[in-house]
Amino acid sequence: MKFFHMADLHLGRKLLGEPLWKEQQDLLSQVLRMADEEKPGAVLLCGDIYDKSIPSQEAVGLLDWFLEEMSVRGIQVFLISGNHDGAQRLQFASGILKKEGIHIAGTFKGRAEHIMLTDQFGPLHVWMLPFLRPGMLRPFAEEIPETYEEAVKTALPGAKLHKEERNVLLAHQFVTAGGERPEISDSEQHSLGGMDQVDASVFEAFDYVALGHIHRPQKIGDVKIRYAGSPLKYSFSEWKQTKSVTVAELGDKGTLSVRKLPLKPKTGMAVLKDTMEALVSDKYEKYREGYYLSVVVTDEEILEHPMERLRKIFPGMLEFAVENRRSRSGGISGSAKLSCLKKTPRDLFGEFYEKQNGIPMSDAEQELLQDIIESMEEVGS
C-alpha cells in the first residue's frame, strides 16, 4: 500500500506577519495533483494541522476543502493532532467523517487508536497517536509517567500489536535516536531541557512510523522512522531546504520503499547579504518580485535610511539587519524592528508566550488575550 506522509501544515500561519494561506492553498493543490498521478491508498497527516488552537476562518476553510477533495478521490485520510492544534476542535464531527474515510484522532483517549486496512498483501494496521504529554495520561493510569518517552510507551498498543502483520504509526513527538537529535529550524520551539525527547527504539515494532513536529524532512535512526517536514518554509533558517511529500510504500511484511516528491512554493524565499551598492544593482534583480526576503547590509559606514531604500526595491522584504563591526560588537541591528511591522499584538504576544513556555497558548488563554486586545481597541477608538 502506498501512503502520502505529510505533517506540520500549520494552516493559518504567518511569516513575520505576512499571511501565508494562499501559499498553503497552492501547495495543497500540488498535493492533489500528485495524488491524481500517484494514486496513494491513504494520506497521513501527522499533527500541527493548524498553527493555532483557535484557527482562523481561512485555515478552517483550507482544511475543509482539502479533506473534501481527498474524499472525492476515494483516498482515505488519517489525521492526528499536534501540539499547536486544539484537539477538541480538530475532533469535531470525526464520527461522521470516518464514514467518508476521514479518520481523525484529535483527543487522546488512553491508547493509540486503531484502524485496519487490507490490500493484496493482507491486513495493514494503522495506529494513530495524537501529541502526548505525560499529564494527559492522568485519567487513564494509576501512576502518571514522569517523561514523554514513558508516556508514549504506555499509550502504544503493546501486546495488542499484530506483530506478524504490517503496522503503521502516526505520532507527533520530539524523537531522537540514541541521543542524536533531529535537525530543527528557527520556526520550532523546544525548551523543555530534553524532557520531551522520545527515543526511536520505542517504535521498533512498527513497519513505518510517520512523524510530525519537526519541519525538516529526515529519517531518525532507521529509514522506517521519518519526519515528513513542513510543506512550506516557515522561517528564513529554512530557506535552502527543499520541501516535499514523503511517499512510503509497504509491500509484504518487511518490505518498505521511501521517496520524496518535491513541492514548489508559489513565492520563493531567500537571504541576501551584501553591501548596499551591490543590493541595489542588477545583481539581485530577480529577487525584486516573487520572493520573501531577509536582507542583510554589510556596509561599515553609516547609511542613510537603508531599510526604507531597500523596501522600495524589494517589496517582499520581511526582515532587515545590518551586520558589520559595530553590530558584532554589540550594536543594535534593524532586524527586529522590521520583523514586527506586519505583526499584530496577538502575534507578538503569542510568539513571546511560546518562547517562554515551549508550548503555544491554550484555547482559554487565546480567548482571554483576544478579549483584552478588543477591549483596548475599543478604548483607543
Side-chain angles (χ1 to χ4, degrees):
M1 184 171 291
K2 181 189 294 185
F3 294 97
F4 275 12
H5 171 196
M6 300 177 66
D8 298 275
L9 306 185
H10 287 281
L11 299 179
R13 190 164 188 141
K14 296 178 181 179
L15 176 64
L16 297 177
E18 183 71 21
L20 294 174
W21 72 270
K22 290 185 178 179
E23 308 286 332
Q24 293 172 329
Q25 183 181 43
D26 182 74
L27 286 173
L28 292 178
S29 295
Q30 291 182 43
V31 175
L32 292 172
R33 290 194 293 272
M34 291 174 179
D36 290 336
E37 295 176 5
E38 294 277 340
K39 295 181 170 46
V43 174
L44 314 178
L45 299 178
C46 301
D48 282 358
I49 309 303
Y50 294 126
D51 190 53
K52 299 182 184 301
S53 59
I54 304 177
S56 65
Q57 179 180 337
E58 292 84 3
V60 174
L62 271 180
L63 181 62
D64 178 64
W65 163 75
F66 184 67
L67 294 180
E68 183 176 354
E69 289 294 325
M70 284 296 176
S71 180
V72 167
R73 288 164 170 77
I75 299 172
Q76 298 201 61
V77 177
F78 296 86
L79 184 157
I80 63 172
S81 61
N83 58 301
H84 277 254
D85 296 308
Q88 290 284 357
R89 286 181 170 83
L90 206 59
Q91 189 77 33
F92 177 75
S94 58
I96 296 172
L97 291 172
K98 188 174 183 179
K99 298 175 183 178
E100 300 298 322
I102 310 295
H103 309 276
I104 299 176
T107 56
F108 177 63
K109 299 181 177 65
R111 288 280 181 178
E113 297 186 35
H114 171 241
I115 295 96
M116 190 181 79
L117 306 176
T118 57
D119 63 8
Q120 67 269 36
F121 300 104
L124 189 150
H125 304 271
V126 179
W127 302 87
M128 300 192 296
L129 182 64
F131 175 69
L132 189 60
R133 299 186 186 95
M136 293 179 180
L137 282 159
R138 183 173 286 107
F140 310 103
E142 293 182 4
E143 294 185 13
I144 302 172
E146 294 184 1
T147 68
Y148 279 64
E149 184 170 315
E150 290 173 358
V152 170
K153 281 182 181 179
T154 302
L156 292 179
K160 294 183 179 180
L161 192 69
H162 305 268
K163 295 184 179 180
E164 71 285 358
E165 297 171 353
R166 296 165 299 163
N167 291 273
V168 173
L169 174 70
L170 283 72
H172 189 94
Q173 303 291 155
F174 190 74
V175 180
T176 60
E180 184 176 346
R181 297 161 60 91
E183 295 184 50
I184 65 174
S185 65
D186 291 347
S187 59
E188 301 151 282
Q189 298 295 333
H190 299 283
S191 58
L192 298 177
M195 288 176 57
D196 56 346
Q197 294 183 18
V198 178
D199 192 78
S201 59
V202 170
F203 307 118
E204 183 59 36
F206 293 91
D207 297 278
Y208 185 73
V209 181
L211 295 172
H213 201 36
I214 303 301
H215 292 181
R216 184 187 184 95
Q218 58 195 291
K219 69 176 183 177
I220 303 298
D222 196 313
V223 68
K224 71 177 182 178
I225 304 173
R226 303 190 67 89
Y227 283 107
S230 61
L232 194 62
K233 300 169 185 178
Y234 289 124
S235 76
F236 283 104
S237 65
E238 301 172 47
W239 77 279
K240 291 185 178 180
Q241 292 181 21
T242 299
K243 300 298 186 176
S244 59
V245 173
T246 299
V247 183
E249 294 188 61
L250 283 83
D252 53 8
K253 179 74 174 180
T255 303
L256 170 68
S257 66
V258 178
R259 55 194 169 93
K260 291 184 285 188
L261 300 174
L263 291 165
K264 184 177 181 180
K266 183 178 181 180
T267 304
M269 178 182 284
V271 176
L272 309 183
K273 184 177 180 180
D274 214 327
T275 63
M276 177 64 79
E277 182 180 1
L279 288 166
V280 300
S281 71
D282 292 342
K283 178 180 179 181
Y284 296 102
E285 184 177 5
K286 79 170 189 176
Y287 298 104
R288 293 180 182 177
E289 57 183 43
Y291 280 85
Y292 295 128
L293 298 173
S294 174
V295 181
V296 182
V297 177
T298 60
D299 295 79
E300 292 296 334
E301 66 272 20
I302 296 175
L303 301 171
E304 185 176 352
H305 306 299
M307 188 169 66
E308 288 76 8
R309 290 174 60 192
L310 289 169
R311 290 189 72 191
K312 291 178 181 178
I313 299 172
F314 303 113
M317 185 175 74
L318 301 179
E319 189 173 66
F320 171 81
V322 174
E323 186 175 309
N324 53 29
R325 285 195 298 270
R326 291 191 306 279
S327 66
R328 286 191 290 269
S329 64
I332 300 174
S333 78
S335 59
K337 181 179 178 182
L338 183 57
S339 298
C340 294
L341 286 180
K342 292 190 176 184
K343 292 185 179 181
T344 66
R346 178 173 174 167
D347 293 332
L348 292 168
F349 190 85
E351 290 179 7
F352 172 77
Y353 182 97
E354 187 170 343
K355 286 181 179 179
Q356 290 294 107
N357 298 283
I359 57 173
M361 298 175 69
S362 68
D363 290 5
E365 289 166 336
Q366 289 194 51
E367 289 172 355
L368 177 60
L369 175 62
Q370 189 61 32
D371 289 343
I372 293 170
I373 291 171
E374 289 175 358
S375 297
M376 292 173 65
E377 290 174 347
E378 289 176 4
V379 173
S381 61

